[in-house]
Amino acid sequence: MDKKVTDIVAYLTWVGLIIAFVAGDKEASKFHLNQSLVIWLAGIVCGVIAVIPILGWIVSFVGWIFLVVCWFIGFIGAIQGTEKPIPLIGGIQLLK
């Protein structure tokens, strides 16, 4: 896969992220692979927080809305071919 396809596939699902990482252009798409990974891991954290009654539900709900907005920002950036970090959690570098 070329860079643009790899960038877009990375945002589709967690399976798409794995496919993009394994079969895609890892070096050229490292930015969007990292952004997608951070969004998915933050979603897992929101899911764990949702176990806590009332306060956890509220925090998790707000977190999910924030992550959906971040996902759209990242996905649109991948379609346009830009490398603009997502708000708040975009500076986290998991892939070097």
Side-chain angles (χ1 to χ4, degrees):
M1 288 189 283
D2 67 338
K3 179 187 179 330
K4 189 167 187 171
V5 173
T6 303
D7 291 347
I8 293 170
V9 169
Y11 286 102
L12 295 180
T13 62
W14 61 270
V15 175
L17 176 63
I18 293 170
I19 291 170
F21 187 75
V22 173
D25 185 5
K26 286 185 277 243
E27 288 304 313
S29 297
K30 195 177 290 188
F31 177 80
H32 286 289
L33 287 169
N34 185 67
Q35 296 287 294
S36 180
L37 180 62
V38 168
I39 290 170
W40 286 107
L41 291 177
I44 291 171
V45 170
C46 281
V48 170
I49 291 173
V51 174
I52 303 168
I54 301 172
L55 182 61
W57 299 336
I58 294 168
V59 170
S60 181
F61 180 73
V62 172
W64 279 109
I65 292 172
F66 172 72
L67 290 176
V68 167
V69 170
C70 287
W71 181 86
F72 273 111
I73 291 170
F75 188 67
I76 291 170
I79 291 171
Q80 293 176 343
T82 60
E83 292 187 354
K84 182 181 176 190
I86 54 177
L88 296 177
I89 57 176
I92 299 171
Q93 290 290 87
L94 299 175
L95 301 175
K96 304 262 179 194

Coordinates of all heavy atoms in Angstrom, one line a residue:
M1 N 0.8 -1.2 0.0 CA 0.0 0.0 0.0 C 0.9 1.2 0.0 O 1.9 1.3 0.7 CB -0.9 0.0 1.3 CG -2.0 -1.0 1.3 SD -3.2 -0.7 2.6 CE -2.2 -1.4 4.0
D2 N 0.4 2.3 -0.7 CA 1.2 3.5 -0.7 C 0.8 4.3 0.6 O 0.0 3.9 1.4 CB 0.9 4.3 -1.9 CG -0.5 4.8 -2.0 OD1 -1.4 4.3 -1.4 OD2 -0.7 5.8 -2.8
K3 N 1.5 5.5 0.8 CA 1.3 6.2 2.0 C -0.1 6.7 2.3 O -0.6 6.5 3.4 CB 2.2 7.5 2.0 CG 2.1 8.3 3.2 CD 2.9 9.6 3.1 CE 2.8 10.5 4.2 NZ 1.7 10.5 5.1
K4 N -0.8 7.2 1.3 CA -2.1 7.8 1.5 C -3.1 6.6 1.9 O -3.9 6.8 2.8 CB -2.6 8.5 0.3 CG -3.9 9.2 0.5 CD -4.2 10.2 -0.6 CE -5.4 11.0 -0.2 NZ -5.7 12.1 -1.1
V5 N -3.1 5.5 1.2 CA -4.0 4.4 1.5 C -3.7 3.9 2.9 O -4.6 3.6 3.7 CB -3.8 3.3 0.5 CG1 -4.6 2.1 0.9 CG2 -4.3 3.8 -0.9
T6 N -2.4 3.8 3.3 CA -2.0 3.3 4.6 C -2.5 4.3 5.7 O -3.0 3.8 6.7 CB -0.5 3.2 4.7 OG1 0.0 2.3 3.7 CG2 -0.1 2.7 6.1
D7 N -2.4 5.6 5.4 CA -2.9 6.6 6.4 C -4.4 6.4 6.6 O -4.9 6.5 7.7 CB -2.6 8.0 5.9 CG -1.1 8.3 5.9 OD1 -0.4 7.6 6.5 OD2 -0.8 9.3 5.3
I8 N -5.2 6.3 5.5 CA -6.6 6.2 5.7 C -7.0 4.9 6.3 O -7.9 4.9 7.2 CB -7.3 6.3 4.3 CG1 -7.0 7.7 3.7 CG2 -8.7 6.0 4.3 CD1 -7.4 7.9 2.3
V9 N -6.4 3.7 5.9 CA -6.8 2.4 6.5 C -6.5 2.4 8.0 O -7.2 1.7 8.8 CB -6.1 1.3 5.7 CG1 -6.2 0.0 6.4 CG2 -6.6 1.2 4.3
A10 N -5.5 3.1 8.4 CA -5.1 3.1 9.8 C -6.2 3.6 10.7 O -6.3 3.2 11.9 CB -3.8 3.9 10.1
Y11 N -7.1 4.5 10.2 CA -8.1 5.0 11.0 C -9.4 4.3 11.0 O -10.4 4.5 11.8 CB -8.4 6.5 10.6 CG -7.4 7.5 11.0 CD1 -6.4 7.9 10.1 CD2 -7.3 7.9 12.3 CE1 -5.4 8.8 10.5 CE2 -6.4 8.8 12.7 CZ -5.4 9.3 11.8 OH -4.5 10.2 12.2
L12 N -9.6 3.3 10.1 CA -10.9 2.6 9.9 C -11.3 1.8 11.1 O -12.4 2.0 11.6 CB -10.9 1.8 8.6 CG -10.7 2.7 7.3 CD1 -10.7 1.8 6.1 CD2 -11.8 3.7 7.2
T13 N -10.6 0.9 11.5 CA -10.9 0.0 12.7 C -9.6 -0.4 13.3 O -8.5 -0.1 12.8 CB -11.7 -1.2 12.3 OG1 -10.9 -2.0 11.5 CG2 -13.0 -0.9 11.6
W14 N -9.6 -1.1 14.4 CA -8.4 -1.6 15.0 C -7.8 -2.6 14.1 O -6.6 -2.8 14.0 CB -8.6 -2.1 16.4 CG -9.5 -3.2 16.6 CD1 -10.9 -3.2 16.8 CD2 -9.2 -4.6 16.5 NE1 -11.4 -4.4 16.8 CE2 -10.4 -5.3 16.7 CE3 -8.0 -5.3 16.3 CZ2 -10.4 -6.7 16.6 CZ3 -8.1 -6.7 16.3 CH2 -9.3 -7.4 16.4
V15 N -8.6 -3.4 13.3 CA -8.1 -4.3 12.4 C -7.4 -3.6 11.2 O -6.3 -4.0 10.8 CB -9.2 -5.2 11.8 CG1 -8.7 -6.1 10.7 CG2 -9.9 -6.0 12.9
G16 N -8.0 -2.4 10.8 CA -7.3 -1.6 9.8 C -6.0 -1.1 10.3 O -5.0 -1.0 9.5
L17 N -5.9 -0.7 11.5 CA -4.6 -0.3 12.1 C -3.6 -1.4 12.0 O -2.4 -1.1 11.6 CB -4.8 0.2 13.6 CG -3.6 0.6 14.3 CD1 -3.0 1.8 13.7 CD2 -3.9 0.9 15.8
I18 N -4.0 -2.6 12.3 CA -3.0 -3.7 12.3 C -2.6 -4.0 10.8 O -1.4 -4.2 10.5 CB -3.6 -5.0 12.9 CG1 -3.8 -4.7 14.4 CG2 -2.8 -6.2 12.7 CD1 -4.6 -5.8 15.2
I19 N -3.6 -4.0 9.9 CA -3.3 -4.2 8.5 C -2.4 -3.1 8.0 O -1.4 -3.4 7.3 CB -4.6 -4.3 7.7 CG1 -5.3 -5.5 8.0 CG2 -4.3 -4.2 6.2 CD1 -6.7 -5.6 7.4
A20 N -2.6 -1.8 8.3 CA -1.8 -0.7 7.9 C -0.4 -0.9 8.4 O 0.6 -0.6 7.8 CB -2.4 0.6 8.3
F21 N -0.3 -1.3 9.7 CA 1.0 -1.5 10.3 C 1.8 -2.6 9.6 O 3.0 -2.5 9.4 CB 0.9 -1.7 11.8 CG 2.2 -1.7 12.5 CD1 2.9 -0.5 12.7 CD2 2.8 -2.9 12.9 CE1 4.1 -0.5 13.4 CE2 4.0 -2.8 13.6 CZ 4.7 -1.6 13.8
V22 N 1.1 -3.7 9.3 CA 1.8 -4.9 8.8 C 2.1 -4.7 7.3 O 3.2 -5.0 6.8 CB 1.0 -6.2 9.1 CG1 1.6 -7.4 8.4 CG2 0.9 -6.4 10.6
A23 N 1.1 -4.3 6.5 CA 1.2 -4.4 5.1 C 1.4 -3.0 4.5 O 1.7 -2.9 3.3 CB -0.1 -5.0 4.5
G24 N 1.4 -1.9 5.2 CA 1.5 -0.6 4.7 C 2.9 -0.1 4.7 O 3.8 -0.7 5.1
D25 N 3.0 1.2 4.2 CA 4.3 1.9 4.2 C 4.5 2.5 5.6 O 4.1 3.6 5.9 CB 4.2 3.0 3.1 CG 5.5 3.7 2.9 OD1 6.5 3.3 3.6 OD2 5.6 4.6 2.2
K26 N 5.2 1.7 6.5 CA 5.3 2.1 7.9 C 6.1 3.4 8.1 O 5.8 4.2 8.9 CB 6.0 1.0 8.7 CG 5.0 -0.2 9.0 CD 5.7 -1.2 9.8 CE 6.5 -2.1 9.0 NZ 6.3 -3.4 8.9
E27 N 7.2 3.5 7.4 CA 8.1 4.7 7.6 C 7.4 6.0 7.1 O 7.5 7.0 7.8 CB 9.4 4.5 6.8 CG 10.3 3.4 7.4 CD 10.6 3.7 8.9 OE1 10.9 4.9 9.2 OE2 10.5 2.8 9.7
A28 N 6.7 6.0 6.0 CA 6.1 7.2 5.5 C 4.8 7.5 6.3 O 4.4 8.7 6.4 CB 5.8 7.1 4.0
S29 N 4.1 6.5 6.8 CA 2.9 6.7 7.5 C 3.0 6.6 9.0 O 2.0 6.5 9.7 CB 1.9 5.6 7.0 OG 1.6 5.8 5.7
K30 N 4.1 6.7 9.5 CA 4.3 6.6 11.0 C 3.5 7.6 11.8 O 3.0 7.3 12.8 CB 5.8 6.8 11.3 CG 6.2 6.3 12.7 CD 7.6 6.4 13.0 CE 8.4 5.4 12.1 NZ 9.8 5.3 12.4
F31 N 3.3 8.8 11.3 CA 2.6 9.8 12.0 C 1.1 9.4 12.2 O 0.6 9.4 13.3 CB 2.6 11.2 11.2 CG 1.8 12.2 11.9 CD1 2.3 12.9 13.0 CD2 0.5 12.5 11.4 CE1 1.5 13.9 13.6 CE2 -0.3 13.5 12.0 CZ 0.2 14.2 13.1
H32 N 0.5 9.0 11.1 CA -0.9 8.6 11.2 C -1.1 7.3 11.9 O -2.1 7.1 12.6 CB -1.6 8.6 9.8 CG -1.9 10.0 9.3 ND1 -2.8 10.8 9.9 CD2 -1.3 10.7 8.4 CE1 -2.8 12.0 9.2 NE2 -1.8 12.0 8.3
L33 N -0.2 6.4 11.8 CA -0.3 5.1 12.5 C -0.2 5.4 14.0 O -1.0 4.8 14.8 CB 0.9 4.2 12.1 CG 0.8 3.5 10.8 CD1 2.1 2.8 10.4 CD2 -0.4 2.5 10.7
N34 N 0.7 6.3 14.4 CA 0.8 6.7 15.8 C -0.5 7.4 16.3 O -1.0 7.1 17.4 CB 2.0 7.6 16.0 CG 2.2 7.9 17.5 OD1 2.6 7.0 18.2 ND2 2.0 9.2 17.9
Q35 N -1.0 8.3 15.5 CA -2.2 9.0 15.9 C -3.4 8.1 16.1 O -4.1 8.2 17.1 CB -2.6 10.1 14.9 CG -1.6 11.2 14.7 CD -1.6 12.2 15.9 OE1 -2.5 12.9 16.1 NE2 -0.5 12.2 16.6
S36 N -3.5 7.1 15.2 CA -4.6 6.2 15.3 C -4.4 5.3 16.5 O -5.4 5.0 17.2 CB -4.7 5.3 14.0 OG -5.7 4.4 14.1
L37 N -3.2 4.8 16.8 CA -2.9 4.0 17.9 C -3.3 4.7 19.2 O -3.9 4.1 20.1 CB -1.5 3.5 17.9 CG -1.0 2.6 19.1 CD1 -1.8 1.3 19.1 CD2 0.5 2.4 18.9
V38 N -2.9 6.0 19.3 CA -3.2 6.8 20.5 C -4.7 6.9 20.7 O -5.2 6.8 21.8 CB -2.5 8.1 20.4 CG1 -3.0 9.1 21.5 CG2 -1.0 8.0 20.5
I39 N -5.5 7.1 19.6 CA -6.9 7.2 19.8 C -7.5 5.9 20.2 O -8.4 5.9 21.1 CB -7.5 7.7 18.4 CG1 -7.2 9.1 18.1 CG2 -9.0 7.5 18.4 CD1 -7.5 9.6 16.7
W40 N -7.1 4.8 19.7 CA -7.6 3.5 20.1 C -7.3 3.2 21.5 O -8.1 2.7 22.3 CB -7.2 2.4 19.1 CG -7.8 2.4 17.8 CD1 -7.3 2.8 16.6 CD2 -9.2 2.1 17.6 NE1 -8.3 2.8 15.6 CE2 -9.4 2.4 16.2 CE3 -10.3 1.7 18.3 CZ2 -10.7 2.1 15.6 CZ3 -11.5 1.5 17.7 CH2 -11.7 1.7 16.4
L41 N -6.1 3.5 21.9 CA -5.7 3.2 23.3 C -6.4 4.1 24.3 O -6.8 3.7 25.4 CB -4.2 3.3 23.5 CG -3.3 2.3 22.8 CD1 -1.8 2.6 23.0 CD2 -3.7 0.9 23.3
A42 N -6.7 5.3 23.9 CA -7.5 6.2 24.8 C -8.9 5.7 24.9 O -9.5 5.9 25.9 CB -7.4 7.7 24.2
G43 N -9.4 5.1 23.8 CA -10.7 4.5 23.8 C -10.8 3.4 24.8 O -11.8 3.2 25.5
I44 N -9.8 2.6 24.9 CA -9.7 1.5 25.8 C -9.7 2.0 27.2 O -10.4 1.5 28.1 CB -8.5 0.6 25.6 CG1 -8.7 -0.2 24.2 CG2 -8.3 -0.4 26.7 CD1 -7.4 -0.9 23.8
V45 N -9.0 3.1 27.5 CA -8.9 3.7 28.8 C -10.3 4.3 29.2 O -10.8 4.1 30.3 CB -7.9 4.9 28.8 CG1 -8.0 5.7 30.1 CG2 -6.5 4.3 28.7
C46 N -11.0 4.9 28.2 CA -12.4 5.3 28.5 C -13.3 4.2 28.8 O -14.2 4.3 29.7 CB -12.9 6.1 27.2 SG -12.4 7.7 27.1
G47 N -13.1 3.0 28.1 CA -13.9 1.8 28.4 C -13.7 1.3 29.8 O -14.6 0.9 30.5
V48 N -12.4 1.4 30.3 CA -12.1 0.9 31.7 C -12.7 1.9 32.7 O -13.2 1.5 33.7 CB -10.6 0.8 31.8 CG1 -10.2 0.6 33.3 CG2 -10.0 -0.3 30.9
I49 N -12.6 3.2 32.4 CA -13.2 4.2 33.3 C -14.7 4.1 33.4 O -15.3 4.3 34.4 CB -12.8 5.6 32.9 CG1 -11.3 5.8 33.1 CG2 -13.5 6.7 33.6 CD1 -10.7 7.1 32.5
A50 N -15.3 3.6 32.3 CA -16.8 3.5 32.3 C -17.3 2.4 33.3 O -18.5 2.4 33.6 CB -17.3 3.1 30.9
V51 N -16.4 1.6 33.9 CA -16.8 0.6 34.9 C -17.2 1.3 36.2 O -18.1 0.8 36.9 CB -15.7 -0.4 35.1 CG1 -16.0 -1.4 36.2 CG2 -15.4 -1.1 33.8
I52 N -16.7 2.5 36.4 CA -16.9 3.2 37.7 C -18.3 3.8 37.6 O -18.6 4.6 36.6 CB -15.9 4.3 37.9 CG1 -14.5 3.7 38.0 CG2 -16.2 5.1 39.2 CD1 -13.4 4.7 37.9
P53 N -19.2 3.6 38.5 CA -20.6 4.1 38.4 C -20.6 5.6 38.5 O -19.8 6.3 39.1 CB -21.3 3.5 39.6 CG -20.5 2.3 40.0 CD -19.1 2.6 39.6
I54 N -21.5 6.2 37.8 CA -21.9 7.6 37.7 C -20.8 8.5 37.3 O -20.8 9.0 36.1 CB -22.6 8.1 39.0 CG1 -23.8 7.3 39.4 CG2 -22.9 9.6 38.9 CD1 -24.4 7.6 40.7
L55 N -19.8 8.8 38.1 CA -18.7 9.7 37.7 C -17.9 9.1 36.5 O -17.6 9.8 35.6 CB -17.8 10.0 38.9 CG -16.6 11.0 38.6 CD1 -17.2 12.3 38.1 CD2 -15.7 11.1 39.8
G56 N -17.6 7.8 36.6 CA -16.9 7.2 35.5 C -17.7 7.2 34.2 O -17.2 7.3 33.1
W57 N -19.0 7.0 34.3 CA -19.9 7.1 33.2 C -19.9 8.4 32.5 O -19.8 8.5 31.3 CB -21.3 6.7 33.5 CG -21.5 5.4 34.1 CD1 -20.7 4.3 33.9 CD2 -22.6 4.9 35.0 NE1 -21.2 3.2 34.6 CE2 -22.4 3.6 35.3 CE3 -23.7 5.6 35.5 CZ2 -23.2 2.9 36.1 CZ3 -24.5 4.8 36.3 CH2 -24.3 3.5 36.6
I58 N -19.9 9.5 33.3 CA -19.9 10.8 32.8 C -18.5 11.1 32.1 O -18.5 11.6 31.0 CB -20.2 11.9 33.9 CG1 -21.6 11.7 34.4 CG2 -19.9 13.3 33.4 CD1 -21.9 12.4 35.7
V59 N -17.5 10.8 32.8 CA -16.1 11.0 32.3 C -15.9 10.2 31.0 O -15.4 10.7 30.0 CB -15.0 10.7 33.3 CG1 -13.6 10.7 32.7 CG2 -15.1 11.7 34.5
S60 N -16.4 9.0 31.0 CA -16.2 8.1 29.8 C -17.0 8.7 28.7 O -16.6 8.7 27.5 CB -16.7 6.7 30.2 OG -16.5 5.9 29.1
F61 N -18.3 9.1 28.9 CA -19.1 9.7 27.8 C -18.5 10.9 27.2 O -18.4 11.0 26.0 CB -20.5 10.0 28.4 CG -21.4 10.6 27.4 CD1 -22.0 9.8 26.4 CD2 -21.7 11.9 27.4 CE1 -22.8 10.3 25.5 CE2 -22.6 12.5 26.4 CZ -23.1 11.6 25.5
V62 N -18.0 11.8 28.0 CA -17.3 13.0 27.5 C -16.0 12.6 26.7 O -15.7 13.1 25.7 CB -17.0 14.0 28.6 CG1 -16.1 15.1 28.1 CG2 -18.2 14.5 29.2
G63 N -15.3 11.6 27.3 CA -14.1 11.1 26.6 C -14.4 10.5 25.3 O -13.6 10.7 24.3
W64 N -15.5 9.7 25.2 CA -15.8 9.1 23.9 C -16.2 10.2 22.8 O -15.8 10.1 21.7 CB -17.0 8.2 24.0 CG -16.6 6.8 24.5 CD1 -16.8 6.3 25.8 CD2 -15.8 5.8 23.8 NE1 -16.3 5.1 25.9 CE2 -15.7 4.8 24.7 CE3 -15.3 5.8 22.6 CZ2 -15.0 3.6 24.3 CZ3 -14.6 4.6 22.2 CH2 -14.4 3.6 23.1
I65 N -16.9 11.2 23.3 CA -17.2 12.3 22.3 C -16.0 13.0 21.9 O -15.8 13.3 20.7 CB -18.2 13.3 23.0 CG1 -19.6 12.7 23.2 CG2 -18.3 14.6 22.1 CD1 -20.5 13.5 24.0
F66 N -15.0 13.2 22.8 CA -13.8 13.9 22.4 C -13.0 13.0 21.4 O -12.4 13.4 20.5 CB -12.9 14.1 23.7 CG -11.5 14.5 23.4 CD1 -11.3 15.8 22.9 CD2 -10.5 13.7 23.6 CE1 -10.0 16.2 22.7 CE2 -9.2 14.1 23.4 CZ -8.9 15.4 22.9
L67 N -13.0 11.7 21.7 CA -12.2 10.7 20.8 C -12.9 10.6 19.4 O -12.1 10.5 18.4 CB -12.1 9.4 21.5 CG -11.2 9.3 22.7 CD1 -11.2 7.9 23.3 CD2 -9.8 9.7 22.3
V68 N -14.2 10.7 19.4 CA -14.8 10.7 18.0 C -14.4 12.0 17.2 O -14.1 11.9 16.1 CB -16.4 10.6 18.2 CG1 -17.1 10.9 16.9 CG2 -16.8 9.2 18.7
V69 N -14.4 13.1 17.9 CA -14.0 14.3 17.2 C -12.5 14.2 16.8 O -12.1 14.6 15.7 CB -14.2 15.6 18.2 CG1 -13.5 16.8 17.6 CG2 -15.6 15.8 18.4
C70 N -11.6 13.7 17.7 CA -10.2 13.5 17.3 C -10.1 12.5 16.2 O -9.3 12.7 15.3 CB -9.4 12.9 18.5 SG -9.1 14.1 19.8
W71 N -10.9 11.4 16.1 CA -10.9 10.5 15.0 C -11.2 11.2 13.7 O -10.5 11.0 12.7 CB -11.9 9.3 15.3 CG -11.8 8.3 14.2 CD1 -11.0 7.3 14.1 CD2 -12.7 8.3 13.1 NE1 -11.3 6.5 13.0 CE2 -12.3 7.1 12.3 CE3 -13.7 9.0 12.6 CZ2 -12.9 6.8 11.2 CZ3 -14.4 8.7 11.4 CH2 -14.0 7.6 10.7
F72 N -12.3 12.0 13.7 CA -12.6 12.7 12.5 C -11.5 13.7 12.0 O -11.2 13.8 10.9 CB -13.9 13.5 12.7 CG -15.2 12.7 12.4 CD1 -16.0 12.4 13.4 CD2 -15.5 12.3 11.1 CE1 -17.2 11.7 13.2 CE2 -16.6 11.6 10.9 CZ -17.5 11.3 11.9
I73 N -10.9 14.4 13.0 CA -9.8 15.3 12.6 C -8.6 14.5 12.0 O -8.1 14.9 11.0 CB -9.3 16.0 13.9 CG1 -10.4 17.0 14.3 CG2 -8.0 16.8 13.6 CD1 -10.1 17.7 15.7
G74 N -8.3 13.3 12.6 CA -7.2 12.5 12.1 C -7.5 11.9 10.7 O -6.7 11.9 9.8
F75 N -8.8 11.4 10.6 CA -9.2 10.8 9.4 C -9.2 11.8 8.2 O -8.8 11.5 7.1 CB -10.6 10.2 9.6 CG -11.1 9.3 8.4 CD1 -10.4 8.2 8.1 CD2 -12.1 9.7 7.6 CE1 -10.9 7.4 7.0 CE2 -12.6 9.0 6.6 CZ -11.9 7.8 6.3
I76 N -9.7 13.0 8.5 CA -9.8 14.0 7.4 C -8.3 14.4 7.1 O -8.0 14.7 5.9 CB -10.6 15.2 7.9 CG1 -12.1 14.8 7.9 CG2 -10.4 16.4 7.0 CD1 -13.0 15.8 8.6
G77 N -7.4 14.5 8.1 CA -6.0 14.8 7.8 C -5.4 13.8 7.0 O -4.6 14.1 6.1
A78 N -5.7 12.5 7.2 CA -5.2 11.4 6.4 C -5.7 11.5 4.9 O -4.9 11.3 4.0 CB -5.6 10.1 7.0
I79 N -7.0 11.8 4.8 CA -7.5 12.0 3.4 C -6.8 13.1 2.7 O -6.5 13.0 1.5 CB -9.0 12.2 3.5 CG1 -9.7 10.9 3.9 CG2 -9.6 12.6 2.1 CD1 -11.2 11.0 4.2
Q80 N -6.6 14.2 3.4 CA -6.0 15.4 2.8 C -4.5 15.3 2.6 O -3.9 16.1 1.9 CB -6.3 16.7 3.6 CG -7.8 17.0 3.6 CD -8.1 18.2 4.5 OE1 -7.3 18.6 5.3 NE2 -9.2 18.8 4.2
G81 N -3.9 14.3 3.3 CA -2.4 14.1 3.2 C -1.7 15.1 4.1 O -0.5 15.3 3.9
T82 N -2.3 15.6 5.2 CA -1.6 16.5 6.1 C -1.2 15.8 7.4 O -1.8 14.7 7.7 CB -2.5 17.7 6.4 OG1 -3.7 17.3 7.1 CG2 -2.8 18.5 5.2
E83 N -0.3 16.3 8.1 CA 0.1 15.7 9.4 C -0.1 16.7 10.5 O 0.9 17.1 11.2 CB 1.6 15.2 9.3 CG 1.8 14.1 8.3 CD 3.2 13.5 8.3 OE1 4.0 14.1 9.0 OE2 3.4 12.5 7.6
K84 N -1.3 17.0 10.8 CA -1.7 17.9 11.9 C -2.0 17.0 13.1 O -2.9 16.2 13.0 CB -2.9 18.7 11.5 CG -3.3 19.7 12.5 CD -4.5 20.5 12.1 CE -4.9 21.4 13.2 NZ -6.2 22.1 12.9
P85 N -1.4 17.2 14.2 CA -1.7 16.4 15.4 C -3.1 16.7 15.9 O -3.6 17.8 15.9 CB -0.6 16.9 16.4 CG 0.2 17.9 15.8 CD -0.3 18.2 14.4
I86 N -3.7 15.7 16.5 CA -5.0 15.8 17.1 C -4.9 16.6 18.4 O -3.8 16.6 19.0 CB -5.7 14.4 17.3 CG1 -4.8 13.5 18.1 CG2 -6.0 13.8 16.0 CD1 -5.4 12.2 18.4
P87 N -6.0 17.2 18.9 CA -5.9 18.0 20.1 C -5.6 17.1 21.4 O -6.0 16.0 21.5 CB -7.3 18.6 20.3 CG -7.9 18.5 18.9 CD -7.3 17.3 18.2
L88 N -4.8 17.7 22.3 CA -4.5 17.2 23.6 C -3.6 15.9 23.6 O -2.6 15.9 24.2 CB -5.7 16.9 24.5 CG -6.5 18.1 24.9 CD1 -7.8 17.7 25.7 CD2 -5.7 19.1 25.7
I89 N -4.1 14.9 22.9 CA -3.3 13.6 22.9 C -2.5 13.4 21.7 O -1.8 12.4 21.6 CB -4.3 12.4 23.1 CG1 -5.3 12.4 22.0 CG2 -4.9 12.4 24.5 CD1 -6.2 11.1 22.1
G90 N -2.4 14.3 20.8 CA -1.7 14.2 19.6 C -0.2 14.2 19.7 O 0.6 13.8 18.9
G91 N 0.3 14.8 20.9 CA 1.7 14.8 21.1 C 2.3 13.6 21.7 O 3.6 13.5 21.8
I92 N 1.5 12.6 22.0 CA 2.0 11.3 22.5 C 2.6 10.5 21.4 O 2.0 10.2 20.4 CB 0.9 10.5 23.2 CG1 0.3 11.4 24.4 CG2 1.4 9.2 23.7 CD1 -1.0 10.8 25.0
Q93 N 3.9 10.1 21.6 CA 4.6 9.3 20.5 C 4.8 7.9 21.1 O 5.6 7.7 22.0 CB 6.0 9.9 20.2 CG 5.9 11.3 19.5 CD 5.4 11.0 18.1 OE1 4.2 11.0 17.8 NE2 6.4 10.9 17.2
L94 N 4.1 7.0 20.5 CA 4.2 5.6 20.9 C 5.1 4.8 19.9 O 5.8 3.9 20.3 CB 2.9 4.9 21.0 CG 1.9 5.5 22.1 CD1 0.6 4.8 22.0 CD2 2.5 5.4 23.4
L95 N 5.0 5.2 18.6 CA 5.8 4.6 17.6 C 7.0 5.5 17.3 O 6.8 6.6 16.9 CB 5.0 4.4 16.3 CG 3.8 3.5 16.5 CD1 3.0 3.4 15.2 CD2 4.2 2.1 16.9
K96 N 8.2 5.0 17.3 CA 9.4 5.8 17.1 C 10.0 5.4 15.7 O 9.9 4.4 15.2 CB 10.4 5.5 18.1 CG 9.9 5.8 19.5 CD 10.3 7.2 20.0 CE 9.7 7.4 21.3 NZ 9.7 8.6 21.8

